[in-house]
């Protein structure tokens, strides 16, 4: 049997935009932790460092979907360069303010503007969706993207902290800014794979924000709960390792968690799915909820590593299913925005889980933090159960519209920029 990932990269232009997208999405995982490392070293104030980083993260959560909405309306090549330029300029100003001991309010102001960073993970997924429309390989592409997300969030934070501590305090955020500029400059010129701007075929008013869709809101909330587990595992692993007298062991635990997710994502991408996606979402969140229970029984770093490996197995497949549902329920004219809302939900969940579990750990120790993970798993399952019927209705409505007539038509592309992609008959991916 042919390697499905090898077949995937036979798509014209896929290697180039995937490589550029990987470079451009690294800053998403590097900047926040790099700001903490920089400010804490230069100001000696962890509270200030955390607050400035939180401002940056909150800005990304608020601005990301709006940037993606602009991309859906005007195109990647018109929106990404000015937005990335603004973000990098503000990030550079933040480094200068930190270096020259500017007032604290300037740090917050610069961090807020720097957070207006394009969500490159959504941009890459949008290109795969355009390139593989009507192909069953889209499931494999989403699986690959989930694994790449895992890789960036394993490598990025460690690289950023290492740069800040080994070179100079600003090195981590500085490299993040350089990578964003480099990645966008590599990504944008690839016109052949850029998704065309979609517009209503019948001249009706343009679709409103993607988040108005009840199905998308439920999917985003499911990822908020799932992300809370990730944030909790991050914080509690560090606390537990310190309690066990082996702080470096936290890195091993987190690597095991990421490895479990990555392996499961790669395997999941090779499967030919027959089960409806709403049911797969319920099964995935049920597996996540059940596999958080062993966290209550850990006694050392070995058992903790084994315990986090289990929920890691369900993380990437659940993320893949969510992205598949977004692609099938959100109108094409707001697809990038819809994907960004889903990824934003995950980011909000990670931040919330880290904040809540950190407070619980301070008061009750690592054991209390594990309870947060169990509660988040139960919340994810309940949300998926509530979402199942609305998602099934949305899928049926979308199928009915597609059967009657195409709901969206691409805007005419310039003659000198033909779209690249496999010559396949239009239709829905076979799952």
């Amino acid at each position: 049997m042919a390697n499905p990932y090898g077949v995937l990269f036979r798509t014209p232009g896929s290697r180039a935009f995937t490589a550029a997208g990987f470079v451009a999405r690294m800053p998403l995982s590097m900047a926040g932790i790099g700001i903490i490392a920089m400010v804490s070293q230069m100001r000696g104030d962890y509270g200030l460092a955390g607050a400035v980083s939180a401002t940056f993260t909150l800005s990304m959560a608020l601005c990301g979907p709006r940037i993606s909405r602009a991309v859906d309306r005007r195109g990647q090549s018109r929106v990404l360069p000015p937005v990335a330029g603004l973000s990098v300029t503000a990030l550079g100003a933040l480094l200068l303010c930190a270096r020259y001991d500017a007032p604290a309010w300037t740090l917050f102001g610069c961090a807020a503007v720097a957070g207006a960073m394009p969500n490159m993970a959504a941009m890459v997924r949008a290109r795969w969706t355009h390139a593989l429309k009507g192909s069953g390989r889209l499931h494999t592409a989403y699986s690959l993207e989930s694994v790449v997300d895992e890789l960036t969030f394993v490598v990025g934070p460690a690289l950023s902290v290492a740069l800040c501590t080994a070179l100079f305090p600003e090195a981590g955020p500085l490299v993040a800014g350089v990578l964003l500029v480099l990645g966008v400059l590599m990504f944008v010129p690839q016109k052949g794979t850029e998704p065309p701007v979609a517009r209503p075929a019948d001249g009706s008013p343009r679709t409103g924000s993607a988040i108005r869709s009840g199905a998308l809101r439920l999917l985003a909330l499911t990822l908020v709960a799932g992300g809370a587990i990730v944030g909790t595992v991050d914080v509690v692993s560090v606390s537990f390792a310190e309690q066990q007298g082996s702080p470096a062991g936290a890195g091993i635990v987190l690597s095991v968690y990421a490895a479990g997710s990555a392996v499961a994502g790669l395997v999941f991408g090779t499967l030919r799915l027959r089960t409806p996606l709403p049911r797969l979402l319920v099964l995935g969140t049920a597996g996540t909820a059940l596999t958080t229970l062993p966290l209550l029984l850990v006694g050392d770093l070995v058992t903790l590593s084994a315990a986090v490996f289990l929920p890691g197995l369900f993380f990437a497949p659940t993320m893949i299913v969510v992205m598949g549902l977004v692609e099938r329920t959100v109108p094409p004219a707001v697809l990038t925005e819809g994907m960004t809302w889903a990824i934003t939900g995950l980011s909000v969940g990670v931040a919330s889980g880290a904040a809540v579990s950190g407070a619980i750990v301070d008061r009750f120790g690592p054991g209390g933090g594990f309870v947060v993970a169990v509660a988040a798993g139960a919340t994810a399952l309940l949300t998926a159960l509530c979402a199942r019927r609305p998602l099934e209705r949305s899928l049926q409505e979308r199928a009915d519209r597609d059967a009657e007539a195409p709901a969206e038509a691409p805007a005419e592309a310039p003659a000198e920029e033909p779209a690249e992609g496999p010559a396949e008959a239009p239709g829905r991916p076979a799952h």
Side-chain angles (χ1 to χ4, degrees), residues 295-321:
L295 291 171
L296 301 174
L297 305 176
V298 299
D300 54 34
L301 288 174
V302 174
T303 55
L304 176 59
S305 298
V308 300
F309 181 77
L310 296 175
L313 291 175
F314 288 91
F315 179 77
T318 302
M319 185 73 179
I320 295 162
V321 170

Side-chain angles (χ1 to χ4, degrees), residues 3 9 55-56 127 132 134 154 172 189 205-206 232 243 269 278 286 294 311 340 372 395:
N3 177 2
F9 281 111
T55 300
F56 174 83
R127 293 211 176 200
L132 299 178
V154 169
R206 183 176 288 278
T232 299
Q243 187 184 75
T340 303
V372 176
L395 290 172

Side-chain angles (χ1 to χ4, degrees), residues 353-431:
V356 172
S357 62
I360 296 295
V361 166
D362 285 341
R363 186 167 183 179
F364 300 105
F370 292 138
V371 174
V372 176
V374 174
T379 302
L381 175 57
L382 289 175
T383 306
L385 287 170
C386 293
R388 181 175 176 180
R389 295 303 180 190
L391 287 170
E392 289 174 343
R393 286 196 298 269
S394 294
L395 290 172
Q396 186 59 50
E397 291 170 1
R398 178 71 173 272
D400 292 342
R401 289 196 301 269
D402 288 350
E404 293 174 1
E408 307 283 346
E412 293 184 4
E416 68 274 15
E417 296 174 3
E420 279 186 32
E424 299 181 7
R428 307 301 305 167
H431 287 277

Side-chain angles (χ1 to χ4, degrees), residues 54-78:
T55 300
F56 174 83
T57 302
L58 179 61
S59 177
M60 284 200 302
L62 293 174
C63 296
R66 288 162 175 79
I67 294 169
S68 292
R69 187 178 183 187
V71 167
D72 283 326
R73 294 190 170 195
R74 303 185 64 188
Q76 292 182 353
S77 60
R78 295 184 64 185

